Amino acid sequence: SIVLTFVLVMYQRYVIAQTHSPAIKADSLHYLSDLLTNAGIIVALLLSWVGWPQADPVLAIAISLYIFYTAVQIWNESIQLLLDRELPEEELHRIEAIALQREEVLGVHGLRTRQSGHVKIVQMHVELDGNMPLARAHRICDQVESDILREFPNADVLIHQDPHTPGATHRN
């Protein structure tokens, strides 16, 4: 039972690394607590046999503290997934820098982001030459979107095109 549970927990760790699923993480904690409890019983029996009978309650307390600590981490991560929040400052700067790498993009404003679950939502205005044909402006924005998606594959990107006005102050 211990060996099979260990194999299951290791497989779940692999799946968690691929999906970052809090549900699988919680399920893995359940099986890990079974594994630790069963292994702890065996270790406590062996230590009791060699003359240390206090091992059973010490191991039980250590295992319960580990389970509690891990459960709190999973709870916190689950709450964060349910709440929308703005992307970190360094990601905001990275998104703006990606857009400005295109020489046709003369400015960026109105950048709004949020994280909803595993999806990053990016909305922004890019400033382009006001005399540029709409088809060309659309292609440029498609390229900017592709550039952002290369860096942030799970993003939902919405780009609004604005004519560039030198010296203008834009409102978000």
Side-chain angles (χ1 to χ4, degrees):
S1 172
I2 289 174
V3 171
L4 290 176
T5 303
F6 177 77
V7 169
L8 176 60
V9 168
M10 289 298 101
Y11 178 69
Q12 286 178 320
R13 295 274 168 110
Y14 168 77
V15 173
I16 291 165
Q18 302 300 313
T19 65
H20 306 287
S21 168
I24 296 172
K25 194 178 285 188
D27 193 47
S28 182
L29 175 61
H30 165 79
Y31 286 108
L32 182 61
S33 66
D34 287 348
L35 177 67
L36 291 174
T37 302
N38 292 334
I41 290 169
I42 292 171
V43 169
L45 284 172
L46 291 173
L47 290 174
S48 180
W49 185 59
V50 296
W52 197 40
Q54 303 87 351
D56 185 37
V58 170
L59 287 172
I61 290 170
I63 291 169
S64 65
L65 288 174
Y66 173 76
I67 291 169
F68 179 75
Y69 172 75
T70 308
V72 168
Q73 284 184 316
I74 292 169
W75 177 79
N76 186 38
E77 184 179 318
S78 298
I79 293 297
Q80 292 302 315
L81 279 173
L82 294 174
L83 301 173
D84 286 355
R85 62 192 181 282
E86 186 174 29
L87 296 181
E89 195 72 28
E90 61 271 4
E91 290 186 19
L92 295 174
H93 293 305
R94 182 69 191 128
I95 291 166
E96 189 173 308
I98 289 170
L100 291 171
Q101 285 176 349
R102 297 275 169 188
E103 67 180 65
E104 300 93 346
V105 176
L106 304 173
V108 174
H109 67 273
L111 177 59
R112 292 186 182 99
T113 65
R114 68 181 195 272
Q115 178 94 27
S116 182
H118 292 295
V119 177
K120 296 176 190 291
I121 300 169
V122 178
Q123 298 174 346
M124 64 194 299
H125 293 238
V126 296
E127 300 168 30
L128 304 168
D129 180 352
N131 296 318
M132 179 183 296
L134 178 60
R136 183 164 176 236
H138 182 76
R139 274 193 309 276
I140 293 166
C141 287
D142 281 347
Q143 292 167 343
V144 170
E145 180 180 353
S146 294
D147 295 342
I148 293 170
L149 288 171
R150 256 191 299 287
E151 183 93 13
F152 303 97
N154 290 332
D156 180 10
V157 181
L158 177 65
I159 300 174
H160 177 80
Q161 305 158 19
D162 281 338
H164 177 68
T165 308
T169 304
H170 294 279
R171 294 170 47 156
N172 291 337

